[in-house]
């Protein structure tokens, strides 16, 4: 019977009746996962307002105060306030730039209007319930920031681990595999505690040495604040003439000394008249018909004199002197400048 089975098997091999080869599973089609678009602005908190109010001549405000973001998505948030004139009332625009962690993504800008108002307008806005940035609020923020910074520094000092060794007998490192104290390459021995090092040996600097680890410090995000320098512009003006007295014309009479014939009866100057006829009229009326000669000054003409206008010189101010706040880069609270 055994021989028959062997023969049948050999016959099957000769006929090519081999066992069927299992079919290979078809390769599944590669499905490309579409990258979801990330809304950077939704990952930033504190940029909800579209308009801010600031009292004129307020300086040093931190426009990044209160802004937080998801550091897994957003690398940093920058602010540009170079268009704002803090010395002049008006409406200006500041630009926030949200920089993504992914360098393949584009940064996103958010524009916020800021209205610089007078102290009187600032008081009205406060009464209406609006938040107004003033020198008082800026100083309060700085005091609060310094207080928080001092508190964090004091906490850091309290949490700073001691560099000394409480056990004067052993100076070995702590093995991560068990609680036994070992030294050198004997960290894997869980059965015994042997100290082959001297009492003056330094502790191990490996990652398992909890005694010398420094507390991790939070990553710092630059808070860029626009800096300004004062430029004084002197007064500008010019000299100009003005009229003191308008031009005018004067007529001056011309007199000459001449001998004139004067009527004795009526006293008239009869030099240029018919003397005989004049005397006859007086005589027929029974009056004295004589005359006499007299030396007199008589106007013989007129002299015209033209007087020119009289002018003075005075200084006229074209532009009053003023101080201008000119942007002078940015500065962070940590002391960095750009």
């Amino acid at each position: 019977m055994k021989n028959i089975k062997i023969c049948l098997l050999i016959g099957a091999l000769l006929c090519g009746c081999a066992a069927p080869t299992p079919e290979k599973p078809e390769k599944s089609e590669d499905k490309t996962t579409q990258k979801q678009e990330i809304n950077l602005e939704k990952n930033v908190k504190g940029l909800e307002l579209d308009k801010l109010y600031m009292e004129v001549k307020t300086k040093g405000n931190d426009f990044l105060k209160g802004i937080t973001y998801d550091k897994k998505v957003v690398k940093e948030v920058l602010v540009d306030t170079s268009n704002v004139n803090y010395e002049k009332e008006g409406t200006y625009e500041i630009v926030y730039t949200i920089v993504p962690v992914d360098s393949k993504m584009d940064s996103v800008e958010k524009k916020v209007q800021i209205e610089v108002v007078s102290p009187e307008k600032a008081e009205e806005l406060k009464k209406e319930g609006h938040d107004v940035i003033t020198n008082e609020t800026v100083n309060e923020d700085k005091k609060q920031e310094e207080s928080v910074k001092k508190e964090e520094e004091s906490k850091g000092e309290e949490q700073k681990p001691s560099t000394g060794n409480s056990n004067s007998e052993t100076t070995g490192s702590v093995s991560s595999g068990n609680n036994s104290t070992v030294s050198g390459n004997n960290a894997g021995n869980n059965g015994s505690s042997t100290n082959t090092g001297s009492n003056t040996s330094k502790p191990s600097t490996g990652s398992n040495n909890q005694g010398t680890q420094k507390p991790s410090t939070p990553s710092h995000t630059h808070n860029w604040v626009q800096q300004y320098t004062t430029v004084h512009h002197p007064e500008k003006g010019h000299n100009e003439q003005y009229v003191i007295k308008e031009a005018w014309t004067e007529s001056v009479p011309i007199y000459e000394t001449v001998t004139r014939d004067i009527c004795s009866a009526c006293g008239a100057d009869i030099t240029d008249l018919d003397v005989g006829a004049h005397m006859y009229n007086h005589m027929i009326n029974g009056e004295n018909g004589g005359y006499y000669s007299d030396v007199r000054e008589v106007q013989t003409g007129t002299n015209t004199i033209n007087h020119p206008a009289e002018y003075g010189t005075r200084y006229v101010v074209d532009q009053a002197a003023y101080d201008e706040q000119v942007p002078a880069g940015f500065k962070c609270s940590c002391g960095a400048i750009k």
Side-chain angles (χ1 to χ4, degrees):
M1 181 62 69
K2 187 177 180 180
N3 293 332
I4 294 173
K5 289 182 179 180
I6 293 173
C7 292
L8 291 174
L9 180 59
I10 294 172
L13 292 173
L14 293 175
C15 294
C17 299
T21 305
E23 296 182 0
K24 295 181 179 180
E26 295 182 359
K27 292 183 179 179
S28 60
E29 296 181 357
D30 294 334
K31 296 182 179 180
T32 58
T33 57
Q34 294 182 351
K35 187 176 181 180
Q36 293 182 349
E37 294 185 0
I38 299 175
N39 189 331
L40 292 178
E41 195 170 335
K42 287 187 176 180
N43 287 274
V44 179
K45 295 181 179 179
L47 278 178
E48 292 79 9
L49 293 178
D50 293 324
K51 188 170 185 179
L52 303 174
Y53 296 98
M54 173 181 281
E55 186 177 340
V56 69
K57 295 185 179 180
T58 298
K59 298 178 182 178
N61 181 61
D62 182 2
F63 285 97
L64 290 174
K65 179 180 178 294
I67 296 177
T68 59
Y69 50 86
D70 185 354
K71 293 186 178 181
K72 295 179 181 178
V73 179
V74 178
K75 181 180 179 181
E76 60 181 339
V77 177
L78 307 176
V79 61
D80 181 8
T81 61
S82 58
N83 292 327
V84 182
N85 186 349
Y86 302 97
E87 301 295 322
K88 185 177 180 181
E89 297 175 29
T91 301
Y92 306 94
E93 189 175 71
I94 59 178
V95 181
Y96 288 92
T97 302
I98 305 172
V99 182
V101 173
D102 188 353
S103 60
K104 295 180 181 179
M105 293 179 61
D106 295 330
S107 299
V108 174
E109 288 188 353
K110 178 177 174 61
K111 298 180 179 180
V112 177
Q113 282 190 342
I114 180 167
E115 185 175 349
V116 180
V117 299
S118 64
E120 294 77 14
K121 180 67 173 178
E123 290 299 324
E124 292 179 6
L125 290 169
K126 290 178 183 178
K127 292 178 181 179
E128 294 174 2
H130 296 283
D131 291 330
V132 182
I133 303 170
T134 63
N135 283 314
E136 183 179 355
T137 61
V138 171
N139 293 333
E140 289 179 358
D141 290 341
K142 288 183 179 179
K143 289 180 181 179
Q144 184 177 0
E145 183 179 350
E146 291 176 359
S147 176
V148 172
K149 188 175 180 180
K150 290 180 180 179
E151 185 177 350
E152 290 179 352
E153 289 177 354
S154 63
K155 287 183 179 179
E157 290 295 329
E158 293 176 359
Q159 294 176 358
K160 188 175 181 181
S162 174
T163 56
N165 192 344
S166 60
N167 186 358
S168 61
E169 298 293 329
T170 60
T171 58
S173 62
V174 178
S175 171
S176 61
N178 52 63
N179 294 328
S180 62
T181 304
V182 297
S183 64
N185 297 325
N186 202 24
N189 184 2
N190 296 333
S192 63
S193 173
T194 58
N195 182 6
T196 59
S198 64
N199 290 337
T200 60
S201 63
K202 296 182 179 180
S204 171
T205 59
S207 61
N208 292 327
N209 186 359
Q210 302 295 329
T212 58
Q213 275 191 342
K214 294 182 179 181
S216 60
T217 57
S219 60
H220 175 70
T221 300
H222 286 305
N223 178 17
W224 298 114
V225 178
Q226 180 74 60
Q227 302 298 304
Y228 293 88
T229 182
T230 302
V231 177
H232 179 73
H233 297 271
E235 181 182 83
K236 294 181 180 180
H238 68 280
N239 291 325
E240 68 177 18
Q241 287 186 330
Y242 66 98
V243 177
I244 298 176
K245 188 176 183 180
E246 297 287 350
W248 58 288
T249 301
E250 181 182 10
S251 297
V252 180
I254 301 173
Y255 293 94
E256 291 183 6
T257 302
V258 295
T259 301
R260 307 297 291 179
D261 294 333
I262 308 300
C263 177
S264 299
C266 65
D269 186 348
I270 59 176
T271 304
D272 300 324
L273 302 177
D274 186 351
V275 176
H278 187 83
M279 294 298 103
Y280 176 77
N281 289 330
H282 283 297
M283 290 173 64
I284 62 174
N285 291 324
E287 298 173 347
N288 185 9
Y291 69 94
Y292 63 92
S293 297
D294 188 17
V295 177
R296 296 184 177 184
E297 283 191 354
V298 179
Q299 182 178 350
T300 58
T302 301
N303 188 17
T304 302
I305 302 175
N306 294 320
H307 295 274
E310 297 180 18
Y311 296 92
T313 302
R314 62 188 173 193
Y315 180 78
V316 178
V317 177
D318 297 324
Q319 186 180 66
Y322 68 97
D323 292 334
E324 180 184 9
Q325 297 295 318
V326 178
F330 295 85
K331 186 176 181 180
C332 179
S333 57
C334 69
I337 298 175
K338 75 169 183 177

